[in-house]
Amino acid sequence: MKKITLIIAMVAVLSACSEDQTVEQQLTDTLADVNEKEKQGISYVKKLNQQELKEQKRFTDTMELTQEQYPEVKKQVASLKKSARERTIIIEKEEKALSEAREAADKLSALIDIVDKAEKETLEKLIQALEERFEKHEQLISDYKKLIDAQTQLYTKLEDREIRSSQLQKQVKEVNILTSGLQQKIDEFNKSTNEVNRLQTRAFGSLEKAK
């Protein structure tokens, strides 16, 4: 999986007490909480990347084996399937981290009623951008699970001695299509992160001007 962009953790500079500054602190604390939860998710992405590299090498090695080496093929396929199951466990942990980050972000809605009209519009846009980003992340995870399933089907076909080359190539094509689509979704997700970071900066700027 390609690199995923994190929300920038911003630290607000606070001076004398006021309601706006309290809102600013709440915004800072909430986004810091979201960022911390997402860091946990990113750590799982790194583990996925490491697992993918090992799995890809094993798959390449397996494809180079001949029918005469069938016992070794079965052994390698068993390892490939085990690796795919391990990736499923990791992606489910990332999904849990995403859910926790989303719950943390929900606290932002409580700030809507205590900010001025100018800040309210900016904050609403930030919340909407965050929600869209979470939806893209959910889709990413869903698509990744589909990819693991397609790869597992491919591994099963590798150990089928009666499989036709055309059937194998068809499954390889499906895996490649899913992989390509996933990379595109990651690019879209990273763009949405950049938008969240832009609106986050704008929200802090708006609160700063309102002091």
Side-chain angles (χ1 to χ4, degrees), residues 3 98 154 161 184:
K3 184 178 179 181
L98 166 64
L154 174 59
R161 303 187 80 164
Q184 184 177 349

Side-chain angles (χ1 to χ4, degrees), residues 4-20:
I4 286 180
T5 306
L6 267 173
I7 296 174
I8 298 173
M10 300 191 69
V11 179
V13 179
L14 305 178
S15 52
C17 293
S18 75
E19 184 179 29
D20 286 329

Side-chain angles (χ1 to χ4, degrees), residues 151-165:
Q151 289 171 321
T152 301
Q153 291 180 46
L154 174 59
Y155 301 154
T156 299
K157 285 179 168 58
L158 284 178
E159 63 181 341
D160 184 354
R161 303 187 80 164
E162 306 300 322
I163 194 76
R164 294 180 180 178
S165 177

Side-chain angles (χ1 to χ4, degrees), residues 40-83:
Q40 297 174 16
I42 294 299
S43 71
Y44 295 128
V45 172
K46 291 179 179 177
K47 290 180 180 179
L48 280 175
N49 289 338
Q50 294 170 356
Q51 192 78 9
E52 285 172 357
L53 289 173
K54 294 176 183 177
E55 195 172 313
Q56 182 59 45
K57 184 180 184 306
R58 180 170 282 117
F59 173 74
T60 301
D61 292 343
T62 304
M63 291 294 287
E64 293 175 354
L65 297 174
T66 65
Q67 282 292 331
E68 287 71 26
Q69 297 171 294
Y70 184 69
E72 182 62 22
V73 171
K74 284 193 65 83
K75 180 182 176 181
Q76 291 294 336
V77 166
S79 294
L80 287 167
K81 287 183 176 180
K82 180 182 178 183
S83 178

Side-chain angles (χ1 to χ4, degrees), residues 33-34 37 40 95-105 134:
D33 191 21
V34 172
K37 297 291 192 300
Q40 297 174 16
E95 190 170 25
K96 184 175 183 293
L98 166 64
S99 177
E100 291 175 352
R102 197 166 194 167
E103 287 178 9
F134 284 130

